[in-house]
């Protein structure tokens, strides 16, 4: 590998791009060889990862219903129903408050921009 003076921006950019491409190809090669699926290798007995659980909890309270993730045990299904019973109204309340805040902000901005243009003329 040729050593370039990294004080020049073009040289530094070239070296960094080369290193990133090498790293990217290594990650792709290793993931295809080892079959990485996004789960923590230390927890082979667990079906749920943290990201999967977060996705599931968000889809439950937003009533999107992603479909692939679901609890298998009866207690898990009951806990999901209780979570949804409290989570869905709280999500609707949050969305309502956010909509109200955005409407008030838009109204304030619009009224001040109209008043400012009237005062100038």
């Amino acid at each position: 590998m040729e050593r370039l003076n990294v004080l020049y921006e073009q040289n530094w950019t070239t070296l960094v791009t080369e290193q990133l491409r090498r790293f990217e190809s290594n990650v792709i090669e290793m993931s295809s060889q080892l079959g990485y699926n996004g789960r923590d290798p230390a927890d082979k007995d667990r079906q749920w990862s943290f990201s999967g659980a977060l996705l599931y909890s968000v889809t439950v309270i937003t009533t999107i219903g992603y479909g692939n993730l679901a609890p298998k045990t009866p207690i898990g299904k009951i806990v999901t129903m209780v979570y949804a019973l409290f989570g869905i109204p709280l999500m609707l309340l949050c969305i309502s408050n956010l909509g109200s805040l955005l409407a008030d902000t838009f109204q304030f901005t619009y009224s001040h921009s109209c008043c400012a243009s009237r005062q100038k003329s």
Side-chain angles (χ1 to χ4, degrees):
M1 180 176 137
E2 179 184 337
R3 297 297 298 167
L4 300 174
N5 187 355
V6 294
L7 295 178
Y8 296 108
E9 182 180 356
Q10 184 63 35
N11 292 344
W12 187 85
T13 305
T14 303
L15 288 173
V16 168
T17 304
E18 179 184 322
Q19 289 292 327
L20 285 175
R21 286 181 198 243
R22 190 176 306 131
F23 176 74
E24 184 180 75
S25 64
N26 285 340
V27 167
I28 291 170
E29 181 182 332
M30 294 304 286
S31 65
S32 65
Q33 286 178 0
L34 300 176
Y36 180 69
N37 61 2
R39 293 188 182 153
D40 189 5
D43 296 327
K44 292 183 179 181
D45 58 335
R46 287 192 331 182
Q47 177 187 359
W48 291 73
S49 63
F50 178 76
S51 58
L54 183 63
L55 174 68
Y56 178 71
S57 66
V58 169
T59 56
V60 167
I61 63 173
T62 56
T63 67
I64 292 173
Y66 186 62
N68 291 350
L69 300 171
K72 293 182 179 179
T73 63
I75 189 104
K77 293 175 183 180
I78 291 170
V79 168
T80 296
M81 287 189 287
V82 171
Y83 176 71
L85 187 65
F86 290 103
I88 291 171
L90 287 175
M91 178 57 82
L92 293 175
L93 184 65
C94 179
I95 291 172
S96 172
N97 287 339
L98 183 63
S100 169
L101 175 71
L102 290 173
D104 292 343
T105 304
F106 178 74
Q107 186 178 13
F108 175 80
T109 309
Y110 183 73
S111 66
H112 278 31
S113 65
C114 285
C115 292
S117 64
R118 286 184 187 165
Q119 289 175 355
K120 287 181 183 178
S121 46

